[in-house]
Amino acid sequence: VKVEIPPSNALPHTMSGRDFLLLFQCLDAGSIIMLWALLLVEQKVVLHAQQPHVLTMAAETLCALLFPFNWQHVYIPILPARLLDILQAPVPFLMGIDQEVLKLAESKQMMPEDVVQVDLDANTISCDESVAAKMHLPQKQ
């Protein structure tokens, strides 16, 4: 087995180290690990927060945490209201939605049950029971 450090130009790029700090201020370590695992198994993930810059930084940081893998699916850091239909897509996605667009999506019942919702303001992850059953992570003993 040979382990090599990738060249510095191949490492994931984020805007600054503040991106990681912001994500870890919004979510606890257990939630971040769960979210990382959900992205690795290509789930539909919607991030929501009141401030748009939090959505962008969280989405970028999550993509960087996937290194050495890359998110190859639909990626929209801030979903505009006119593109709400994309929530119905039958493919994995990582999207950010501000509170106003989230309320609109919920009022129009456009949020499918198989979408994992991550509230960055409240440090909560909500998902369907079938998705949760697949994601049993080992617990510290």
Side-chain angles (χ1 to χ4, degrees):
V1 175
K2 184 178 179 182
V3 178
E4 291 183 16
I5 297 174
S8 61
N9 62 352
L11 292 172
H13 174 71
T14 60
M15 292 178 272
S16 69
R18 292 178 297 138
D19 298 358
F20 285 90
L21 180 62
L22 181 63
L23 182 64
F24 279 85
Q25 287 174 338
C26 291
L27 300 173
D28 61 35
S31 295
I32 292 173
I33 291 170
M34 176 65 77
L35 189 51
W36 177 77
L38 287 164
L39 291 173
L40 283 177
V41 296
E42 301 177 332
Q43 291 294 316
K44 298 175 182 180
V45 176
V46 169
L47 308 171
H48 49 89
Q50 290 183 359
Q51 299 177 353
H53 78 277
V54 173
L55 295 171
T56 302
M57 283 204 203
E60 287 292 315
T61 302
L62 287 166
C63 287
L65 287 173
L66 292 175
F67 183 80
F69 304 108
N70 291 317
W71 184 254
Q72 297 293 320
H73 303 288
V74 177
Y75 174 70
I76 306 173
I78 302 176
L79 183 72
R82 67 180 184 274
L83 295 179
L84 274 178
D85 291 338
I86 202 153
L87 291 170
Q88 304 294 321
V91 296
F93 53 71
L94 174 58
M95 296 183 201
I97 297 182
D98 65 25
Q99 294 294 346
E100 291 178 26
V101 177
L102 177 65
K103 287 178 186 175
L104 180 63
E106 289 174 345
S107 70
K108 291 184 175 185
Q109 298 180 346
M110 297 186 77
M111 190 70 71
E113 289 187 15
D114 63 341
V115 172
V116 176
Q117 294 187 47
V118 181
D119 188 337
L120 297 170
D121 297 325
N123 184 23
T124 59
I125 298 177
S126 306
C127 62
D128 190 61
E129 287 183 26
S130 62
V131 173
K134 295 180 202 174
M135 299 307 301
H136 287 293
L137 296 176
Q139 298 297 315
K140 183 178 178 181
Q141 297 188 22

